[in-house]
Amino acid sequence: MLSRLENKVLISLLSVCKEKGAVLISPIDLLKIIGTEHLTLSKLEKTLNDLSTDGYFDLVYSDRRGEKVFCITLLEKGKGYVRSESLERRNLIKRFVLTIGFAILSFIVGIILKKIF
């Protein structure tokens, strides 16, 4: 499970890379797209490196006219992130509903057993 910051960065990258699957973007432009006030350039680079290490995308540092840019290419895990998150959320809701159902069932069985004995 990704942290809130990693989730926001990955969702922002997915919106930018959705058509071609790759993007060449400067860190400042990426910070503007993400829109988090407390996100610094060093935190962004660390988060991008962590996500790249986890296999969501391929990250290459490049230089465009003296400006540092990121070349980001989405991998299969990154392309399927939204779907996997929705499946994980659905499974979590199922487990929660089952837990509540079993709690209610055990409460009812307990009341019935008290009445019998």
Side-chain angles (χ1 to χ4, degrees), residues 12-28:
S12 299
L13 283 174
L14 286 172
S15 67
V16 173
C17 297
K18 65 182 171 186
E19 293 175 7
K20 294 182 181 179
V23 68
L24 189 64
I25 191 166
S26 69
I28 296 167

Side-chain angles (χ1 to χ4, degrees), residues 24 27-29 39 47 59-61 67 71-72 79 85 116:
L24 189 64
I28 296 167
D29 292 338
L39 184 61
T47 303
L59 176 66
V60 177
Y61 295 98
E67 180 186 13
C71 180
I72 298 172
K79 291 176 184 176
E85 278 296 307
I116 293 174

Side-chain angles (χ1 to χ4, degrees), residues 35-50:
T36 304
E37 297 173 5
H38 305 294
L39 184 61
T40 62
L41 188 57
S42 61
K43 281 184 183 178
L44 175 65
E45 286 183 11
K46 182 183 179 321
T47 303
L48 288 174
N49 284 327
D50 291 344

Side-chain angles (χ1 to χ4, degrees), residues 38-93:
H38 305 294
L39 184 61
T40 62
L41 188 57
S42 61
K43 281 184 183 178
L44 175 65
E45 286 183 11
K46 182 183 179 321
T47 303
L48 288 174
N49 284 327
D50 291 344
L51 289 171
S52 177
T53 302
D54 289 342
Y56 289 100
F57 53 81
D58 188 27
L59 176 66
V60 177
Y61 295 98
S62 184
D63 188 38
R64 179 175 57 185
R65 295 184 211 116
E67 180 186 13
K68 183 179 185 179
V69 291
F70 301 128
C71 180
I72 298 172
T73 306
L74 287 177
L75 299 175
E76 292 302 318
K77 188 175 179 181
K79 291 176 184 176
Y81 174 72
V82 175
R83 177 169 162 71
S84 67
E85 278 296 307
S86 66
L87 287 174
E88 190 173 320
R89 186 169 293 138
R90 189 178 314 146
N91 287 336
L92 182 67
I93 291 171

